[in-house]
């Protein structure tokens, strides 16, 4: 593990809309003013002699622009390390991709003890986030199945689990589990101090949907009929139903 001596910078790209703003966001995070004729050149020159880790969060909506800037930085500044979060790989020459999967959930069983379910990462996060709300939550055997079911219904998605835990800390486990059928409460329930797109599930979904192309939105609407897992073959069959040529023409 490289020692950056505190030189670690976080760059939120979720609200960034073009290449120039990517450069500006990086510059702002590392604390430099780019009021010059060549902002990119000034950024690369500033970084060249330095050693640091730059974390770029949410690159997928500007994947091409972000990849080009990362590639330029790595070529010109050999001691700069880049960590990018994205739903698709950047595909740079020296990229090392690490895929984050949903958290492990307890299997569906008629009876489970607290010791059994707490061994799963999704339950550990749920318990941790409930306790963080100041309720000193201690998972008991009689509650184990409820928590396991909550985590399974939320597919092990960390943000959804955290939001559900926040509700459980206030309204209790049974109330939270009962309202997960529609998930409407989780869509609007969240933390005010989080970044805007992480405050609620609705905000997260809206952010993702807003960055889809019209053709991608058509595909999303068509495959939205599936519940749970589905095969690529099934998705293709549904996506190609109807007048696909007209749909593509309208999208373009």
């Amino acid at each position: 593990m490289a020692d950056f001596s505190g030189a670690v910078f976080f760059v939120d790209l979720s609200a960034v809309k073009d290449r120039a703003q990517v450069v500006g966001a990086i510059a702002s995070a590392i604390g430099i003013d780019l009021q010059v004729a060549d902002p990119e050149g000034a950024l690369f020159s500033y970084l060249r002699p330095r050693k640091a880790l730059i974390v770029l969060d949410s690159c997928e909506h500007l994947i091409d622009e972000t990849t080009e800037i990362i590639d330029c930085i790595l070529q010109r500044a050999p001691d700069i390390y880049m960590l990018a979060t994205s739903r698709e790989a950047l595909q740079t020459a020296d990229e090392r991709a690490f895929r984050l999967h949903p958290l492990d959930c307890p299997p569906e069983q008629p009876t489970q003890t607290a010791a059994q379910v707490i061994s799963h990462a999704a339950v550990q996060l749920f318990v941790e986030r409930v306790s963080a709300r100041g309720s000193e939550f201690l998972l008991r055997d009689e509650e184990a199945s409820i928590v396991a079911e909550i985590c399974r219904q939320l597919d092990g998605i960390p943000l959804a689990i955290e939001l559900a835990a926040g509700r459980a800390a206030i309204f209790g486990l049974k109330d939270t589990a009962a309202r997960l059928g529609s998930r409407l409460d989780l869509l609007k329930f969240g933390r005010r101090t989080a970044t805007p797109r992480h405050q609620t599930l609705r905000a997260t979904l809206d952010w993702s949907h807003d960055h889809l192309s019209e053709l991608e939105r058509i595909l999303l609407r068509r495959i939205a009929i599936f519940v749970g897992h589905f095969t690529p073959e099934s998705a293709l069959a549904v996506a190609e139903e109807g007048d696909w040529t007209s749909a593509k023409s309208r999208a373009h």
Side-chain angles (χ1 to χ4, degrees):
M1 176 67 71
D3 179 12
F4 299 105
S5 301
V8 178
F9 306 98
F10 180 83
V11 186
D12 182 5
L13 298 181
S14 61
V16 170
K17 298 180 179 179
D18 55 38
R19 182 186 179 109
Q21 290 185 5
V22 173
V23 173
I26 296 174
S28 177
I30 63 180
I32 63 172
D33 185 3
L34 291 184
Q35 300 299 320
V36 294
D38 181 15
E40 289 191 24
L43 175 64
F44 301 149
S45 296
Y46 178 86
L47 294 175
R48 185 178 295 115
R50 290 171 169 78
K51 183 175 184 178
L53 170 65
I54 300 176
V55 181
L56 302 179
D57 185 41
S58 303
C59 303
E60 55 267 25
H61 63 298
L62 289 171
I63 192 73
D64 293 331
E65 296 85 345
T66 305
T67 300
E68 291 173 2
I69 292 171
I70 289 176
D71 202 39
C72 289
I73 290 175
L74 295 180
Q75 289 182 25
R76 292 165 172 77
D79 288 327
I80 296 295
Y81 292 74
M82 309 291 294
L83 175 62
T85 69
S86 174
R87 293 176 184 173
E88 60 179 297
L90 303 183
Q91 298 182 347
T92 59
D94 298 320
E95 180 181 21
R96 295 182 182 180
F98 179 78
R99 185 176 295 277
L100 288 177
H101 297 283
L103 298 178
D104 176 47
C105 294
E108 189 169 358
Q109 295 177 354
T111 58
Q112 298 181 84
T113 66
Q116 288 174 320
V117 301
I118 201 67
S119 65
H120 298 271
V123 176
Q124 292 171 12
L125 176 62
F126 184 90
V127 172
E128 174 189 314
R129 299 318 300 164
V130 174
S131 299
R133 293 297 184 103
S135 59
E136 297 182 3
F137 179 66
L138 180 63
L139 183 62
R140 298 173 296 182
D141 288 345
E142 56 266 32
E143 300 167 331
S145 295
I146 300 176
V147 174
E149 178 62 20
I150 290 174
C151 293
R152 279 196 302 271
Q153 286 199 43
L154 298 177
D155 299 320
I157 300 173
L159 177 59
I161 291 173
E162 181 171 347
L163 296 177
R167 180 180 181 89
I170 299 173
F171 299 105
L173 289 175
K174 291 184 178 180
D175 177 88
T176 301
R179 293 175 178 272
L180 284 184
S182 66
R183 297 191 174 118
L184 291 179
D185 281 348
L186 281 186
L187 287 174
K188 61 186 180 182
F189 193 84
R191 291 187 293 115
R192 295 185 180 90
T193 55
T195 56
R197 68 188 180 92
H198 284 161
Q199 288 182 359
T200 65
L201 279 183
R202 183 179 297 280
T204 299
L205 294 173
D206 286 347
W207 182 87
S208 297
H209 187 268
D210 288 346
H211 286 94
L212 295 177
S213 66
E214 184 55 34
L215 184 59
E216 289 169 334
R217 293 179 186 181
I218 294 172
L219 287 171
L220 177 62
R221 289 194 293 270
R222 293 188 175 186
I223 65 174
I225 65 170
F226 292 107
V227 177
H229 297 286
F230 54 89
T231 65
E233 292 78 14
S234 298
L236 285 172
V238 172
E240 292 176 350
E241 283 186 355
D243 190 351
W244 183 239
T245 302
S246 298
K248 289 194 290 185
S249 299
R250 292 195 302 271
H252 293 296

